[in-house]
Amino acid sequence: MPSTTTAPLLDARHLAKRYGTRQAVADVSLQVAPGTLLGLLGPNGAGKSTTLSMIAGLTPADGGSVTIAGQRQADDPAAARRHIGLVTQDLALHDMLSARRNLLLFGALHGLRGAALAQRADVVLAQVGLADRAGDAPATFSGGMKRRLHIACALVHDPALLLLDEPTAGVDPQSRLAIFGMLEALRAAGKALVYTTHHMEEVERLADQLVIIDHGRVVAEGTLAALRQRLPGRQRLDIALAATADEALLAAVRSLPGVHQADARPEGLALVLADSTAPDAPGLAGCAAVVLALLSARGITVQHLASQRATLEDVFIDLTGRQLRD
């Protein structure tokens, strides 16, 4: 992890964007140092993709500033963009061109030519594990292979900053692991990365720093350990049931003392317990006993019981709520 004195490669300050009457981004600031991966989290519609688009120079900001590698985006947008590789949610590949020709096209758009372009295409094909498929068209690729080629296209001009908007969407577990390994190698090589995803376990594994935004504003930021401290003393209680948890059961469990949060899972219930350091808190054992008594009274068989500390998902839900965002 980089020193705290390392100057940020990306310094975005107070970004804002409005679409008509809707404030998509109200006030978002991000700083990312070389050799660091920042996880950018938020519910659907929170402003993550708009923020990345403003940093990439694709969407003009209504307010705020972006500085990349010491270059103010407003002073020279083309120079700032040369430092950026953008991996969008939607694949931007030419399905009938070979993988290598896709890379040559994207490299040319970034100003690469001749031998330098050919060399970079070969380097990134190897980097994403597609060297043996260089002559094949993406139309013949699996979803995971297309995602890896999509990332390669963002890397072909060797950017210092990589912006990734849900880069593992729809990929198989093997491709996801390959992408993780690739990103970890890029971070070790000194690249700065910004990564958005709805999979909390991904940022728990990858991120050095986290920023959670909601309604276009930063609601929390810091390391994973620091964000977990927002739920001091809280623990998870996972209960596997022989029957499906319905809304009536959820409502009853949520009303119990010591239960801060209760959600249904395919296998049963996931509970977050209230702060166990509070004077009137029943504690893990006491809360578990009350929940088990309720289940027994309703004739529901418990198959398994497990506890663990609060997760990033628990922090995320606590900050942004459980209401669906479409």
Side-chain angles (χ1 to χ4, degrees):
M1 192 167 167
S3 165
T4 55
T5 61
T6 302
L9 186 99
L10 167 65
D11 190 0
R13 303 274 178 151
H14 307 297
L15 293 177
K17 182 64 183 179
R18 179 182 291 275
Y19 294 103
T21 59
R22 184 174 70 88
Q23 189 76 48
V25 176
D27 183 8
V28 172
S29 297
L30 306 173
Q31 289 78 44
V32 190
T36 299
L37 189 148
L38 182 142
L40 180 61
L41 303 175
N44 287 334
K48 304 185 299 296
S49 295
T50 301
T51 296
L52 291 191
S53 187
M54 286 189 287
I55 293 171
L58 300 180
T59 297
D62 295 332
S65 64
V66 175
T67 301
I68 301 170
Q71 176 70 56
R72 279 177 48 87
Q73 187 187 72
D75 295 340
D76 192 342
R81 277 196 297 271
R82 283 194 287 271
H83 294 291
I84 299 171
L86 175 63
V87 180
T88 56
Q89 289 183 39
D90 297 326
L91 294 172
L93 301 173
H94 293 268
D95 269 351
M96 302 314 295
L97 295 179
S98 70
R100 193 169 194 277
R101 287 185 65 82
N102 267 275
L103 290 168
L104 295 176
L105 173 61
F106 276 87
L109 292 174
H110 285 287
L112 296 179
R113 298 288 185 272
L117 174 55
Q119 181 183 31
R120 279 300 300 167
D122 291 337
V123 167
V124 294
L125 279 168
Q127 207 167 357
V128 301
L130 291 173
D132 61 335
R133 300 295 298 272
D136 296 338
T140 68
F141 286 1
S142 68
M145 292 168 68
K146 287 182 179 180
R147 282 284 169 192
R148 282 149 51 201
L149 179 60
H150 188 47
I151 295 172
C153 290
L155 291 173
V156 69
H157 60 298
D158 198 20
L161 171 66
L162 192 61
L163 308 175
L164 304 113
D165 198 359
E166 299 188 38
T168 62
V171 308
D172 58 273
Q174 289 81 6
S175 289
R176 180 175 285 109
L177 287 174
I179 290 170
F180 291 168
M182 183 195 323
L183 299 182
E184 287 166 344
L186 289 168
R187 177 178 58 190
K191 304 294 186 186
L193 302 95
V194 180
Y195 188 101
T196 81
T197 181
H198 289 295
H199 299 290
M200 299 295 154
E201 72 278 5
E202 294 188 358
V203 288
E204 284 184 312
R205 167 175 173 163
L206 295 170
D208 302 296
Q209 296 285 327
L210 295 162
V211 171
I212 300 176
I213 64 175
D214 197 15
H215 301 295
R217 297 181 183 275
V218 174
V219 295
E221 58 185 314
T223 64
L224 176 58
L227 291 185
R228 279 183 172 144
Q229 289 302 310
R230 297 181 72 99
L231 298 179
R234 291 189 186 165
Q235 287 184 291
R236 282 186 68 105
L237 189 62
D238 296 311
I239 308 174
L241 303 176
T244 302
D246 57 21
E247 285 301 320
L249 176 61
L250 279 175
V253 172
R254 286 169 182 159
S255 69
L256 294 174
V259 175
H260 173 74
Q261 179 182 318
D263 294 294
R265 294 288 188 267
E267 65 280 3
L269 292 169
L271 312 184
V272 178
L273 308 186
D275 188 351
S276 63
T277 63
D280 58 346
L284 175 62
C287 185
V290 172
V291 174
L292 292 175
L294 171 67
L295 296 173
S296 177
R298 290 178 173 239
I300 299 173
T301 301
V302 174
Q303 296 177 322
H304 182 69
L305 186 72
S307 66
Q308 60 178 321
R309 66 178 176 174
T311 66
L312 178 59
E313 181 177 349
D314 300 322
V315 177
F316 181 85
I317 294 296
D318 191 68
L319 289 166
T320 63
R322 289 193 288 274
Q323 184 177 359
L324 287 174
R325 310 287 181 90
D326 297 316

